[in-house]
Amino acid sequence: MNPTSPESQTGATNAASCRVPFLALFGGGALWLVVGLTLAILASLTFHKPDIFANCAWLTYGRLQPAANDAIVYGFCVPAALGVILWIFCQLSESELLLPLLPIVGANLWHLGVFVGLIEILIGGSTGFPSLEFQRGGSVLLFAAFLLIAISAFATFGARRRRELHPSHWFLLAALFWFPWIYSTANLFLMAWPVRGVCQAVVDWWFCANFLFVWTALAGIGVGLFYLFGGPNDEEATGPDDNQRFLTLFSFWTLILFGAWCGIPQGAPVPAWLPALSAVGAALTILPILTIASVALRAVRTRGAAPCRGGPRCSILFGTAFFVISGIMFVALGCPHIGPVIELTWFAFAQTQLQILGFLTIVLCGAICALMPRVMGFDLVFPRLARVRHWLFISGIVLFAGALAVGGILQGLKLQSLAPFATVTASVLPFYRVSTTGLLFLWLGALLFALNIFGMTLKWKLARLHSCLAWLRAPEETIAAADTAAAAGNGRAK
Amino acid sequence: MSGNHSSNPSSCRPPANRSGAPTWMLVLTLILGYLGGVYFDHHSGWFSPAVYSPYSSSTELAAYQPKSGAQAMAARGHLLYGQICAACHSDDGMGKPGQAPPLAGSEWVNEKGFHRVAEIPQIGLTGSIPVKGQPWNSTMPPMGAGLSDADLAAVVTYVRSAWGNHAPPVTASDIKSVRSTVAGHPAISGAAGLKAIAE
């Protein structure tokens, strides 16, 4: 595309409108990803040497593990997904980011909420509900911040020029509605007006399935479809054909309909219809998973399997593959006969980690590394490290989740044979050692990702500082020079 | 994206291709829907709040309930104990300090004869009695006076067989005979009054 054409000029202005919100969302997200994986490694050390943090209350496993999970999920996944959603809405609307102040304020509030929540978990003030460990202060901040960012997303969505919706619109709009709904419902029923007894566990199971499976799937698949089918200005875009459009619509409705029923374990001490309905929901969740797999395979076939160089498409294909695997694991956990064998082993943990770190994080990091150069107007500071990061993530998650899943199945089978619990737990240790190695790979990858994001922030700030200084020295010349530089920068960005 | 179709020849398709639902998907949806329906029908208890896993329906649950005999009596006794006695003697039969003595392991409850333990709920007990080596000085009102013979027999039998107690069961006719002897008597007074009743 001609760099001086009016189209590319608007494209660059549209992209530039996202700069500050994205740096706030992704910068904080990258930091939380590193923090979360560091906490996860510390937590896993407890299994290698149980008394390693014996004298330090805030480093006990019961605090580190939820803190690590929440730092990764709430600290990285949600804000990063929101940023990528804003970008995709800008691209599909062919508009600039509307109300850009809201995502800036929202991002800061969000990160403040995560900070407050994590500190509270580490000093021992967790609520005790898995995935909802944040106390009232943290969760109120998160909820408000999400709404602020979502308002900007809806404004940008409303400004679109084509009435017709892109398939990724469906998923991402649903994700924007889904999170406030499940997060507020679960928090109201557990914290504000707590329901009694085992109903609390039911609410939390419902939330975990809806957040860690349905929401992550909506966000990740929505982002994935945008890069698989291409946006309106993508020259290589094939767009979804009618068949793919139908399959995607089918997977969307089956995912939000049946996925939302899942989550009640088969052995739960609740009236039998709850686990029975959950099992039916889990079996029917096979449909969206297989449909997404077939859409992705079809997209690969129509565009040919290009060699993987760490671009967004490559990340998305790997991410989708991990989604299919983790989805099948999720269904297995919900099935009668199979679920009770593996549910209280490392297998369930491996499934959520594969979903969060293997699927959503890989998809989001791929998307962020592809969109940031266009937003900032200059290339990644360390493009090679981004490629290294891609492979570190993939090898890391295969080692981490793969070892735990295999170990979990063996653990479940041994527990069925009534072997002593301590022996069974000890026999899984070799797998656990492999998984910690995988975690180290992931941690290194997160570090490289953060390095790139912060490198870009620093470069941008330095450039602004330079132009300010130059303007102080010679105002008129600088303005003229800035105009030409901006034009050249836009050319590079395309 | 319709906009792309015009610029991209590869996606120009005749509109006849619109209905592109693959057969495998429809078949799989129907099979899973059918199997899911059958599974739910067999395992859900149709939303009954009383049916818990591993049971699957209200009828199955009802089939496990004893209709008559010793089991039915034990179930009736357990129910009545929970409604009437457990407030003071507590669900586990351990009693409450300063309020009511324990029934679990109590020497009075575990006597072979039933007369003493059957009279107490009918006419009440005041004054001090020793239970498991501890003196208890409290008043028991005639809580069982309003119960039918069969119900009182069920409660007394339950108390005499639960929590490790091992005294023989009491029948409705036993209670009837006790009731006729104590009609109009004042409350039993202390350990002496209790010992005065023949075992």
Side-chain angles (χ1 to χ4, degrees):
Chain A
M1 201 180 277
N2 182 0
T4 51
S5 74
E7 263 181 56
S8 96
Q9 288 280 6
T10 31
T13 328
N14 291 349
S17 68
C18 300
R19 262 176 213 165
V20 185
F22 281 17
L23 286 178
L25 284 166
F26 299 150
L31 193 67
W32 287 127
L33 187 61
V34 175
V35 169
L37 285 166
T38 312
L39 292 172
I41 290 172
L42 291 180
S44 82
L45 289 183
T46 316
F47 280 87
H48 302 298
K49 193 173 183 306
D51 57 351
I52 187 165
F53 303 123
N55 296 322
C56 189
W58 64 276
L59 283 178
T60 44
Y61 185 79
R63 297 187 194 178
L64 278 178
Q65 188 53 48
N69 254 349
D70 287 356
I72 294 168
V73 179
Y74 291 108
F76 173 73
C77 288
V78 180
L82 283 172
V84 177
I85 289 174
L86 290 177
W87 169 253
I88 290 175
F89 278 14
C90 283
Q91 293 302 102
L92 291 176
S93 299
E94 295 174 67
S95 135
E96 57 178 7
L97 181 64
L98 294 182
L99 311 173
L101 198 61
L102 291 183
I104 298 172
V105 176
N108 286 303
L109 276 183
W110 182 276
H111 293 312
L112 179 69
V114 174
F115 179 74
V116 171
L118 284 185
I119 293 293
E120 240 164 342
I121 294 177
L122 288 178
I123 61 174
S126 148
T127 62
F129 297 112
S131 290
L132 283 170
E133 286 96 350
F134 289 175
Q135 287 285 1
R136 193 172 291 191
S139 20
V140 167
L141 280 174
L142 292 194
F143 185 71
F146 193 100
L147 288 190
L148 288 181
I149 302 172
I151 289 170
S152 165
F154 283 121
T156 313
F157 170 74
R160 71 193 187 282
R161 306 212 180 133
R162 298 166 211 250
R163 298 302 307 162
E164 193 190 8
L165 296 186
H166 190 277
S168 74
H169 267 136
W170 310 330
F171 284 84
L172 298 181
L173 282 172
L176 287 178
F177 281 113
W178 210 261
F179 182 81
W181 170 49
I182 56 170
Y183 197 65
S184 60
T185 307
N187 269 301
L188 288 179
F189 281 145
L190 293 179
M191 254 68 89
W193 299 287
V195 290
R196 290 174 61 187
V198 77
C199 288
Q200 294 186 348
V202 172
V203 171
D204 192 53
W205 284 322
W206 170 83
F207 173 78
C208 285
N210 270 280
F211 182 44
L212 297 180
F213 187 76
V214 179
W215 188 85
T216 53
L218 286 173
I221 298 295
V223 172
L225 289 177
F226 175 77
Y227 284 95
L228 279 183
F229 295 148
N233 292 325
D234 188 350
E235 280 161 29
E236 289 172 37
T238 49
D241 59 32
D242 288 328
N243 188 301
Q244 281 174 322
R245 226 181 145 74
F246 174 83
L247 285 179
T248 324
L249 188 64
F250 179 80
S251 67
F252 172 72
W253 284 114
T254 44
L255 174 70
I256 61 172
L257 186 61
F258 301 126
W261 297 354
C262 299
I264 314 288
Q266 290 306 304
V270 292
W273 66 269
L274 277 161
L277 194 62
S278 218
V280 175
L284 286 163
T285 308
I286 279 281
L287 293 170
I289 294 164
L290 291 185
T291 321
I292 288 294
S294 102
V295 169
L297 279 180
R298 213 179 150 88
V300 171
R301 266 204 303 254
T302 46
R303 274 171 80 165
C308 191
R309 295 207 189 83
R313 256 178 81 78
C314 180
S315 292
I316 270 121
L317 290 178
F318 270 103
T320 312
F322 289 137
F323 168 71
V324 173
I325 300 171
S326 118
I328 291 171
M329 288 164 76
F330 180 74
V331 170
L333 277 164
C335 276
H337 307 301
I338 310 171
V341 179
I342 46 181
E343 76 182 345
L344 296 174
T345 67
W346 285 113
F347 189 86
F349 182 69
Q351 190 272 322
T352 41
Q353 298 301 309
L354 185 61
Q355 180 82 7
I356 294 162
L357 287 166
F359 162 53
L360 192 57
T361 303
I362 285 181
V363 165
L364 290 176
C365 284
I368 291 170
C369 285
L371 68 87
M372 277 315 266
R374 295 181 60 184
V375 171
M376 303 305 293
F378 51 80
D379 202 4
L380 288 176
V381 186
F382 312 107
R384 259 195 211 161
L385 291 190
R387 228 166 298 153
V388 176
R389 189 268 311 155
H390 175 71
W391 291 111
L392 273 176
F393 268 179
I394 287 170
S395 47
I397 195 67
V398 168
L399 288 178
F400 177 45
L404 285 181
V406 175
I409 294 173
L410 294 180
Q411 191 185 5
L413 292 176
K414 282 182 190 161
L415 284 173
Q416 291 296 302
S417 68
L418 298 178
F421 184 74
T423 331
V424 176
T425 312
S427 75
V428 193
L429 266 183
F431 295 98
Y432 201 81
R433 297 201 201 287
V434 176
S435 86
T436 305
T437 319
L439 213 48
L440 284 172
F441 280 36
L442 287 169
W443 180 78
L444 214 57
L447 213 57
L448 298 184
F449 175 70
L451 209 61
N452 251 324
I453 298 290
F454 286 109
M456 290 185 101
T457 317
L458 201 65
K459 192 171 168 184
W460 179 66
K461 293 228 156 142
L462 284 179
R464 287 189 60 169
L465 192 69
H466 273 294
S467 61
C468 280
L469 288 177
W471 184 81
L472 282 177
R473 283 195 205 112
E476 291 84 13
E477 285 169 37
T478 330
I479 290 164
D483 284 347
T484 44
N490 292 341
R492 266 209 305 281
K494 283 279 125 183
Chain B
M1 302 299 298
S2 59
N4 281 326
H5 288 197
S6 55
S7 63
N8 195 333
S10 69
S11 58
C12 285
R13 289 171 182 278
N17 271 5
R18 269 196 77 82
S19 58
T23 322
W24 66 263
M25 205 183 69
L26 289 177
V27 173
L28 188 64
T29 312
L30 290 175
I31 291 177
L32 283 177
Y34 175 73
L35 291 180
V38 170
Y39 179 81
F40 187 78
D41 188 35
H42 282 198
H43 292 89
S44 67
W46 279 102
F47 301 104
S48 161
V51 178
Y52 280 60
S53 172
Y55 306 107
S56 52
S57 69
S58 314
T59 35
E60 188 192 356
L61 216 55
Y64 283 104
Q65 302 303 321
K67 302 279 180 296
S68 59
Q71 273 188 319
M73 194 164 163
R76 179 79 185 148
H78 184 129
L79 183 76
L80 290 168
Y81 179 85
Q83 288 170 356
I84 301 169
C85 325
C88 295
H89 290 286
S90 87
D91 275 326
D92 53 4
M94 295 309 288
K96 288 193 178 154
Q99 195 176 352
L103 299 173
S106 156
E107 59 269 37
W108 302 104
V109 172
N110 281 304
E111 277 170 350
K112 237 188 164 96
F114 57 84
H115 286 95
R116 287 173 185 162
V117 77
E119 273 191 33
I120 296 172
Q122 293 194 49
I123 54 176
L125 171 70
T126 57
S128 173
I129 59 165
V131 179
K132 290 168 87 175
Q134 301 272 331
W136 285 85
N137 193 0
S138 51
T139 300
M140 158 132 178
M143 299 293 290
L147 288 177
S148 72
D149 294 341
D151 281 351
L152 190 55
V155 179
V156 173
T157 304
Y158 173 75
V159 167
R160 278 157 66 88
S161 61
W163 324 298
N165 289 348
H166 45 77
V170 179
T171 62
S173 55
D174 294 340
I175 296 293
K176 197 172 183 183
S177 68
V178 174
R179 206 187 282 274
S180 60
T181 58
V182 299
H185 283 208
I188 305 163
S189 154
L194 205 52
K195 286 216 171 101
I197 305 166
E199 242 189 70

